Amino acid sequence: LYFSALPAVLAARNSGDLGPFNPLPSTIMIHSVFGWLCYGLAVSNPWIVASNLPGAGAVLATFAVMLPLMGNSHPALSACQLTFVGGAMATLCLWTGLVFAKVAARATLVGYFAS
């Protein structure tokens, strides 16, 4: 799943234009994969962590290649920026709340967030 956008973004990089590629799902996938990584770490499940580490690399590479291609005039730039910053803030709020939560509730909350 996380590698699905990478070939299209690499082809767009070669052409210098994103064309009809919608960058918003790739931006959402960043928060999804990091949510699953956090959940895997919270429940100490190495299989969840190991299966999502390559995905984290793929979505970060996709985002790093895609962002310069968007320039300042791409119609989805504002939505991608809002999604990226909003998701980061939601993650920070989650972890701030988890510091004060009971240990048993931490894995459950992170699991809900990852889904």
Side-chain angles (χ1 to χ4, degrees):
L1 171 70
Y2 299 122
F3 284 87
S4 62
L6 193 55
V9 170
L10 291 176
R13 180 184 67 178
N14 292 337
S15 70
D17 186 7
L18 279 177
F21 183 79
N22 183 2
L24 191 55
S26 296
T27 308
I28 294 168
M29 282 194 284
I30 293 171
H31 300 297
S32 173
V33 73
F34 279 103
W36 279 108
L37 280 171
C38 291
Y39 175 71
L41 292 169
V43 297
S44 300
N45 187 326
W47 302 110
I48 294 174
V49 174
S51 64
N52 282 284
L53 277 175
V59 297
L60 288 174
T62 300
F63 192 71
V65 170
M66 179 182 64
L67 201 55
L69 293 174
M70 293 179 74
N72 290 331
S73 61
H74 196 280
L77 180 63
S78 295
C80 288
Q81 289 173 328
L82 181 64
T83 301
F84 186 76
V85 173
M89 288 307 300
T91 303
L92 288 173
C93 289
L94 169 72
W95 284 104
T96 302
L98 290 178
V99 167
F100 301 106
K102 294 180 180 175
V103 174
R106 289 182 186 162
T108 302
L109 291 173
V110 174
Y112 288 144
F113 184 76
S115 323

